[in-house]
Amino acid sequence: AALLAFVAPSLVMAAPVRRQAAPNPNDVLVLQFAQVLNQLEQQFYQQALAKFQPSDITSAGFTSSNVVLQQLTQLQSDESSHITALQSSLTSLGQTPLTTCQFDFTTVLTDISTTVTVARLVENVGVGAFLGAAHLVSDPTILTAAASIVTVEGRHQTMLNIFNNGAAIPNAFDLPLLPNEVLAIASPFISGCNLGVQANPTLTITNTGAVNVGTQLTFSSSAMTGSTNGMFCQLLAGGMPFSLSLPLSACVVPDTLTGPVAVWITSDNQPLNNNARDRTNSTTVAGPAMMFIDNTGDALAALVRATNQNSTITSTVSPNQASSMLAGATATAAVSGSGVSMTMMPASLVSQIAATMDTSAAIAAATASANSSASAAAGSVSTATAAA
């Protein structure tokens, strides 16, 4: 889960390796940046695990608290390993790792739903941070080692997409984020240290209720004072060559977007380049903020979490809980902007998946019901069709 997984060749083995006498300043900068952001993530998971009980997890609609606790524990362990290796690498370069940073998660460790929402944000931004600063690294060995870590970060990202009832793999490409853009999202949690990077002004999406295709977005930022006439919103997702530029007064989520989307406010309508090397922030007023457009369903998510969240989440907004419940483990959800349709999954397959995931007795009961009465199960599925 490194927000910026730039690592020295020692990352995997956590042992110093050969270096030039005078390290490249950019290599040092990104290593310092990475280890601080890994500290942020490790502290986030550590504090979350200390705060929440298994009952908090099942109350939030998860079918098994064991699944969630196991994965969050693994994420914390990975972050600790990354920190040790990154700090060792900096020491081998004659640098002193930053250890004075303080991390405050009071606003987001309020409940388990908000916690996994922010964890999802962290993981998506982490992958984007690696992509966005890769061109700054001069040492190809560092870059290769970093790539070996970002693949693991992608697996973390997938798991947290599932925990948030999103598609496990919403896009074929991820979105690169520059260091100053990463800090526009992460800096509200960090104090007491200087990372050597000037953060963009933080941007908040202020919509209440679900944000999805067709929603007109509203914003706030300390950088947006006075008239906003002549400002534009820029919407950018992985795989898009350039952002979609819309007048701020007509910033409506189009039906062409899905998955994680970054949103900037700019002073002109020139689209932003997806290529981080060529992207300029000279016209950026604030942002980015991250949102998630969950307009496609995922059968795996339906097994892990019973509550459907057909909504978009930003770094400062708690998830919007939909009131409808999926009809147990015998159904898969196809979520669209208009609602949830259910199709039957063979009970034998459900049993295999449930056993693998060590899910709760509710899944076993649902499977037994499906075996004993297919017609009753079909009735349950029909009843479960509801607007998200």
Side-chain angles (χ1 to χ4, degrees):
L3 274 184
L4 191 62
F6 294 96
V7 292
S10 60
L11 182 61
V12 176
M13 300 301 295
V17 295
R18 291 180 302 158
R19 289 285 175 183
Q20 296 179 351
N24 185 294
N26 279 343
D27 290 352
V28 173
L29 175 65
V30 296
L31 286 169
Q32 285 281 25
F33 192 53
Q35 69 96 18
V36 168
L37 294 173
N38 276 268
Q39 290 177 47
L40 179 147
E41 294 178 273
Q42 191 275 339
Q43 284 292 308
F44 175 78
Y45 290 119
Q46 179 176 308
Q47 293 178 30
L49 287 166
K51 179 169 184 176
F52 298 111
Q53 303 299 315
S55 59
D56 298 319
I57 298 171
T58 53
S59 295
F62 289 96
T63 53
S64 171
S65 61
N66 290 338
V67 170
V68 177
L69 291 171
Q70 181 186 60
Q71 295 304 314
L72 294 183
T73 300
Q74 183 63 54
L75 295 181
Q76 181 199 14
S77 176
D78 289 348
E79 296 310 325
S80 295
S81 297
H82 295 168
I83 293 166
T84 299
L86 287 164
Q87 291 182 345
S88 176
S89 297
L90 284 164
T91 301
S92 74
L93 296 176
Q95 307 297 314
T96 302
L98 283 172
T99 58
T100 61
C101 300
Q102 301 295 315
F103 308 101
D104 184 0
F105 307 111
T106 304
T107 60
V108 295
L109 291 179
T110 54
D111 56 74
I112 195 65
S113 291
T114 303
T115 296
V116 297
T117 291
V118 175
R120 182 193 199 187
L121 172 78
V122 163
E123 299 300 336
N124 278 272
V125 171
V127 172
F130 163 70
L131 296 175
H135 69 285
L136 300 174
V137 180
S138 64
D139 188 328
T141 309
I142 292 178
L143 196 59
T144 300
S148 75
I149 293 301
V150 80
T151 55
V152 177
E153 309 305 339
R155 293 170 200 148
H156 294 174
Q157 174 181 300
T158 294
M159 183 57 63
L160 284 157
N161 286 340
I162 293 168
F163 281 2
N164 283 274
N165 270 322
I169 309 172
N171 300 109
F173 301 93
D174 282 313
L175 175 67
L177 296 171
L178 293 164
N180 54 307
E181 296 169 339
V182 171
L183 283 182
I185 300 169
S187 62
F189 302 117
I190 306 174
S191 63
C193 59
N194 183 356
L195 296 179
V197 175
Q198 181 63 47
N200 284 1
T202 296
L203 179 67
T204 301
I205 299 173
T206 58
N207 294 76
T208 58
V211 175
N212 217 311
V213 171
T215 299
Q216 180 162 340
L217 300 175
T218 57
F219 305 93
S220 69
S221 172
S222 60
M224 296 170 62
T225 59
S227 174
T228 58
N229 290 337
M231 293 186 183
F232 293 80
C233 74
Q234 308 283 347
L235 308 176
L236 185 60
M240 296 171 59
F242 299 96
S243 64
L244 174 64
S245 180
L246 298 170
L248 184 57
S249 60
C251 188
V252 177
V253 180
D255 60 7
T256 54
L257 294 180
T258 189
V261 179
V263 187
W264 290 258
I265 304 301
T266 60
S267 59
D268 68 16
N269 66 348
Q270 181 66 33
L272 300 176
N273 200 319
N274 190 304
N275 186 336
R277 184 198 64 187
D278 300 330
R279 185 156 69 232
T280 176
N281 279 274
S282 61
T283 63
T284 296
V285 175
M290 292 298 299
M291 62 182 186
F292 296 90
I293 307 299
D294 293 329
N295 52 10
T296 58
D298 199 302
L300 185 58
L303 286 175
V304 173
R305 194 169 188 182
T307 303
N308 176 50
Q309 292 176 233
N310 188 17
S311 62
T312 298
I313 313 302
T314 73
S315 60
T316 57
V317 179
S318 299
N320 299 289
Q321 299 289 343
S323 60
S324 60
M325 300 292 288
L326 300 180
T330 58
T332 62
V335 183
S336 68
S338 59
V340 182
S341 61
M342 313 295 287
T343 55
M344 291 303 296
M345 178 186 294
S348 58
L349 177 59
V350 172
S351 298
Q352 295 172 19
I353 296 174
T356 301
M357 295 177 61
D358 188 27
T359 49
S360 65
I363 288 184
T367 303
S369 176
N371 284 328
S372 62
S373 176
S375 60
S380 297
V381 169
S382 177
T383 302
T385 303

